[in-house]
Amino acid sequence: MRLSEITNYLESIAPLNYQEDYDNSGLIVGDPNMEIRAALVALDCIESIVDEAISTGCNLIITHHPIVFKGLKKLNGKNYVERVVLKAIKNNIALYAIHTNLDSIHTGVNARICERLGLTGTKVLSPKTGLLKKLVTFCPQAQAEQLRSALFYAGAGNIANYSECSFNADGFGTFKGNEDSDPFVGEKGVRHREPEVRIEMVYPTQAERKILVALFENHPYEEVAYDIYKLENKHQLVGAGMMGWLEYDMDAYDFLHLVKDRMQAKVVRHTDVIGKRIKKVAVCGGSGSFLLREAIAAGADAFITADYKYHEFFDAEEKIIIADIGHFETEQFTSNLLVEIIQKKFTNFAIRLTEQNTNPINYLF
């Protein structure tokens, strides 16, 4: 199978434009046209992971964390990042990362945390803006249904849990073609009035090319009239963090023990329990302190995340319980999620889950 088949599928699940500005998700090393024999999945791409790929015959490594975050000015092996890249190139191994774009989707990293904690009624904690546009076009009434169906098939008209969403208003359009025109209705040189439908649909920005192709191929007019608007609406299924509800409210200490057990955490650093019982929970895999205000505003009783600094714990101000369980611990089940995603599409593809624990942090008890 070609590398591009795998990466295109992953990017259909977690589009690259969903990643944060600082991130470097996507194909880091490799030719999209290269043939892939087998893939190794891990949380981090370190030298021992490349060695594992070599020993198991995998020529693709898919990780959550990108090995390259910033531009490399030299490749002389002076640090582990350069050594990983050099070893991958030398052994013709492709490196692919699916990081904050996987964090952002409602079926991604945070959904897996919610699943392990038994949370229900989950939704994105901080939905993203700037990911949606609106298409408005005008079509003769007789051809409107065919055009709508084509646009739906191309990916337009999806809003949260609903598909094939559109707004339609009847009116009429006027036009007069010159001598070089070839009008679908009417005559050259004569103003024509045609009953038309104004069709409006919302669509994700990454689907724009496919949607415009469908528009031009299925609209009957020689010159298609259409408008595209950028929307500031929040995309309710894409964003940072998630929140959900426990089946029953719990004593705070019992809940923290549940988190430690379900997330297989060595240590839970937390703020005062402030006499709260826990029912509504916010989560964020990896470094999530930037979401504290959203978690409090959403009415969460507890916020599960990682990488909290000392002074940031004071920001809870007895409004919420912050529980820092460790970066690796919040994301350690992401590799299993990726294997499941890939196997669902490519049932006969050879994919391996790493046997290594790449957590660079050790604990002394």
Side-chain angles (χ1 to χ4, degrees):
M1 171 163 44
R2 290 185 182 228
L3 174 58
S4 59
E5 292 182 61
I6 303 171
T7 59
N8 287 344
Y9 173 66
L10 290 174
E11 288 164 20
S12 73
I13 302 294
L16 292 180
N17 63 308
Y18 288 178
Q19 68 181 304
E20 299 299 327
D21 292 339
Y22 64 81
D23 201 8
N24 190 36
S25 294
L27 185 59
I28 296 173
V29 172
D31 178 353
N33 293 314
M34 67 186 289
E35 289 292 324
I36 300 300
R37 300 185 302 273
L40 178 67
V41 176
L43 187 66
D44 304 285
C45 190
I46 55 179
E47 290 177 81
S48 60
I49 293 294
V50 181
D51 291 335
E52 183 180 356
I54 295 169
S55 66
T56 55
C58 297
N59 61 338
L60 168 62
I61 299 173
I62 301 171
T63 58
H64 185 47
H65 296 137
I67 182 60
V68 178
F69 264 108
K70 300 177 181 178
L72 294 175
K73 294 184 178 180
K74 297 179 181 179
L75 275 175
N76 52 33
K78 68 179 180 181
N79 57 47
Y80 84 96
V81 174
E82 294 179 9
R83 290 193 295 271
V84 165
V85 173
L86 284 171
K87 184 174 285 190
I89 293 172
K90 181 179 179 181
N91 290 277
N92 197 31
I93 295 174
L95 305 180
Y96 186 87
I98 181 168
H99 190 210
T100 55
N101 50 328
L102 187 63
D103 289 333
S104 294
I105 62 173
H106 74 288
T107 54
V109 175
N110 295 307
R112 183 51 56 100
I113 297 173
C114 290
E115 179 184 309
R116 291 195 66 85
L117 295 179
L119 303 183
T120 60
T122 56
K123 60 181 180 178
V124 173
L125 178 61
S126 181
K128 282 181 177 287
T129 60
L131 297 177
L132 299 171
K133 291 185 179 181
K134 179 185 281 189
L135 171 68
V136 177
T137 189
F138 309 86
C139 181
Q141 293 177 348
Q143 289 76 33
E145 182 55 35
Q146 176 184 332
L147 179 60
R148 273 191 295 267
S149 296
L151 293 173
F152 292 149
Y153 184 77
N158 296 315
I159 301 176
N161 294 320
Y162 295 85
S163 61
E164 300 188 10
C165 303
S166 68
F167 177 79
N168 303 268
D170 292 335
F172 66 88
T174 64
F175 49 85
K176 181 171 70 173
N178 62 25
E179 289 303 313
D180 296 324
S181 66
D182 182 20
F184 175 72
V185 290
E187 300 177 12
K188 296 180 182 181
V190 179
R191 183 198 298 166
H192 179 77
R193 173 175 167 143
E194 179 70 19
E196 293 179 341
V197 180
R198 174 189 172 106
I199 303 172
E200 301 184 20
M201 294 184 185
V202 172
Y203 66 89
T205 55
Q206 70 270 13
E208 183 165 289
R209 181 180 178 278
K210 188 176 180 180
I211 289 168
L212 289 180
V213 168
L215 173 66
F216 296 137
E217 287 184 349
N218 291 275
H219 199 293
Y221 285 170
E222 181 182 22
E223 295 293 339
V224 179
Y226 69 99
D227 302 313
I228 291 176
Y229 300 94
K230 290 184 178 180
L231 302 180
E232 291 303 316
N233 303 49
K234 294 180 178 180
H235 195 316
Q236 297 299 328
L237 298 181
V238 180
M242 292 195 82
M243 58 183 174
W245 284 260
L246 293 166
E247 185 177 2
Y248 305 104
D249 65 310
M250 297 182 65
D251 171 81
Y253 282 114
D254 289 341
F255 172 71
L256 291 173
H257 281 289
L258 178 141
V259 171
K260 185 174 185 293
D261 178 61
R262 297 276 182 88
M263 297 303 296
Q264 299 178 13
K266 299 289 194 303
V267 175
V268 178
R269 300 191 303 147
H270 63 87
T271 53
D272 288 340
V273 297
I274 58 176
K276 265 186 174 287
R277 290 189 68 80
I278 310 301
K279 177 70 172 179
K280 191 174 186 180
V281 180
V283 308
C284 180
S287 305
S289 61
F290 69 99
L291 286 174
L292 180 63
R293 288 186 180 182
E294 284 85 349
I296 293 173
D301 302 309
F303 180 34
I304 313 303
T305 188
D307 298 344
Y308 250 84
K309 297 179 180 178
Y310 174 86
H311 291 285
E312 291 175 332
F313 280 96
F314 289 113
D315 295 333
E317 298 192 82
E318 297 189 347
K319 297 176 182 176
I320 195 170
I321 296 173
I322 297 170
D324 182 334
I325 65 173
H327 196 117
F328 175 86
E329 286 74 13
T330 62
E331 296 180 337
Q332 62 184 305
F333 306 106
T334 302
S335 299
N336 303 78
L337 172 64
L338 282 169
V339 170
E340 292 169 16
I341 289 172
I342 295 169
Q343 286 182 333
K344 185 176 181 179
K345 173 68 174 179
F346 306 106
T347 55
N348 296 320
F349 179 62
I351 185 165
R352 298 176 58 92
L353 182 65
T354 182
E355 298 178 355
Q356 300 182 50
N357 180 329
T358 60
N359 189 359
I361 300 171
N362 293 281
Y363 302 94
L364 180 64
F365 296 97

